[in-house]
Amino acid sequence: MKSSLSRKWADRISLFVFLAPTIFFLFIFIAYPVFSSGYLSFTDYNFARDDSPTFIGLEGYKETIFEDSFFHSAFINQVKFAIPYILITFIVSLGLAILVSELTKGVQFFQIIFYLPMIISLSMAGLTFSWVLHQDVGIFNQFLVTIGLESLTKHWFGDPSTALMGLVVIRSWKMIGFTFIIFLSGIHGIPTSLREASRVDGTNFWQEIRFIVLPLLKPYLLAGGIWIIINSLKVFDLPQVVTQGGPGVSTLTLYLYSWKSAFQRYDMGQAARVAYITAAVILLLTWILNRILKPDTAERY
């Protein structure tokens, strides 16, 4: 009996020793920042002026949501960015995955080609596209001139009507490869016998995709969709490197506004509020997507 208790305590101590580094990491780098920034979001605190935060409760959230014009601009820009980004990334990556899955050769080649942009940092991709779309020396404008469409040339990132969509193109180009790999893995995991049986029953290609592939692909669509939603709202590095939120505030996003509030205006309370509002929107959209794409579960009798 005594030896049994000793073994139990030894197992518990061993478990604690092995888990201690992970617990320490989670507490220091995740739990503490979350609770600390959460508290700051309910305060008025300019760290260049104030000695300590002043608790104001929900008043700060009310002022940010209903009275802050910069927040309104950033929120609208975020919506304008997120909708085309989500549609382009989701539809193109799914379409590419379906097409590549039909190939008998070269699948690995296309996996490498489409995933390559993921290796490049977003800041480097932004600088590259800034050169490609430059008004004077950009190869895209030079191409338009060559084919006789000189009237369409413009400073793509200097025009408020095209700057935000330019950022959408850059981020979509970089991120499509990741969701493409997720969707392609899901399609390859579908038993070939099901698809072959449907073909024997006379279904065409599109019916096979609609009634067999897409329903069985729901867990992968959900995982990829959550990734896309997060990336559609956590947008900081691209506008910071390419446009700095301009021209004007036409590419000011929520994360960029949070960063500017913290490190240009030194308003940590405002920065925390914007970040938490963004996180709340991400959670809401993730919940909605989970309700739409929730995999079917078998009923027990």
Side-chain angles (χ1 to χ4, degrees):
M1 180 71 177
K2 188 174 182 180
S3 60
S4 176
L5 289 175
S6 299
R7 283 197 301 271
K8 286 183 179 180
W9 277 107
D11 291 341
R12 291 175 181 176
I13 293 172
S14 299
L15 180 63
F16 176 78
V17 169
F18 283 111
L19 290 179
T22 302
I23 294 174
F24 177 80
F25 178 87
L26 291 175
F27 178 79
I28 297 297
F29 296 103
I30 297 180
Y32 174 74
V34 167
F35 286 107
S36 177
S37 60
Y39 171 73
L40 283 177
S41 71
F42 293 102
T43 66
D44 180 15
Y45 180 44
N46 186 305
F47 69 81
R49 180 192 65 215
D50 303 327
D51 294 329
S52 61
T54 302
F55 186 81
I56 58 174
L58 293 174
E59 189 64 29
Y61 278 97
K62 178 182 176 182
E63 181 180 341
T64 298
I65 294 174
F66 296 107
E67 301 176 17
D68 188 345
S69 60
F70 284 106
F71 173 79
H72 297 161
S73 297
F75 189 86
I76 293 171
N77 290 338
Q78 198 69 69
V79 173
K80 291 180 179 178
F81 180 96
I83 292 176
Y85 173 78
I86 291 172
L87 292 176
I88 292 172
T89 308
F90 194 92
I91 294 173
V92 173
S93 56
L94 178 59
L96 289 174
I98 292 173
L99 292 176
V100 172
S101 68
E102 296 297 313
L103 299 178
T104 56
K105 294 181 181 180
V107 174
Q108 292 183 343
F109 170 78
F110 284 105
Q111 286 177 322
I112 295 173
I113 290 298
F114 291 131
Y115 192 78
L116 274 178
M118 288 294 300
I119 301 174
I120 305 171
S121 66
L122 265 174
S123 57
M124 182 58 69
L127 292 174
T128 302
F129 273 84
S130 295
W131 173 75
V132 171
L133 298 176
H134 192 275
Q135 182 178 12
D136 300 320
V137 298
I139 59 175
F140 184 69
N141 278 347
Q142 294 299 322
F143 171 74
L144 292 178
V145 171
T146 302
I147 62 176
L149 298 176
E150 187 175 357
S151 60
L152 297 180
T153 62
K154 62 173 61 182
H155 186 6
W156 298 95
F157 289 117
D159 188 335
S161 64
T162 57
L164 193 65
M165 186 54 65
L167 299 182
V168 171
V169 171
I170 299 173
R171 198 172 184 92
S172 299
W173 171 81
K174 175 174 166 52
M175 296 298 182
I176 278 174
F178 186 81
T179 44
F180 161 76
I181 294 295
I182 292 177
F183 296 156
L184 184 62
S185 300
I187 294 174
H188 284 165
I190 298 174
T192 55
S193 58
L194 291 177
R195 303 185 66 175
E196 290 173 354
S198 69
R199 291 168 188 169
V200 171
D201 290 339
T203 59
N204 59 38
F205 175 77
W206 297 111
Q207 290 173 329
E208 182 183 331
I209 296 299
R210 178 183 176 185
F211 295 109
I212 296 179
V213 174
L214 292 182
L216 295 177
L217 204 59
K218 277 187 177 181
Y220 299 89
L221 296 177
L222 178 60
I226 291 174
W227 167 264
I228 293 172
I229 286 174
I230 292 174
N231 278 283
S232 72
L233 296 174
K234 291 180 63 177
V235 183
F236 164 74
D237 34 13
L238 266 183
Q240 172 67 6
V241 170
V242 180
T243 63
Q244 293 79 49
V249 293
S250 60
T251 59
L252 181 67
T253 60
L254 290 174
Y255 260 48
L256 181 58
Y257 180 47
S258 177
W259 181 87
K260 286 179 176 289
S261 297
F263 299 108
Q264 291 184 354
R265 296 165 53 187
Y266 309 114
D267 190 344
M268 300 303 294
Q270 175 72 353
R273 284 189 287 274
V274 175
Y276 270 83
I277 291 171
T278 306
V281 174
I282 292 174
L283 290 176
L284 175 62
L285 294 179
T286 300
W287 178 80
I288 293 174
L289 184 67
N290 187 69
R291 298 291 296 178
I292 295 174
L293 295 178
K294 185 177 181 181
D296 299 327
T297 55
E299 297 182 1
R300 294 185 178 181
Y301 295 94

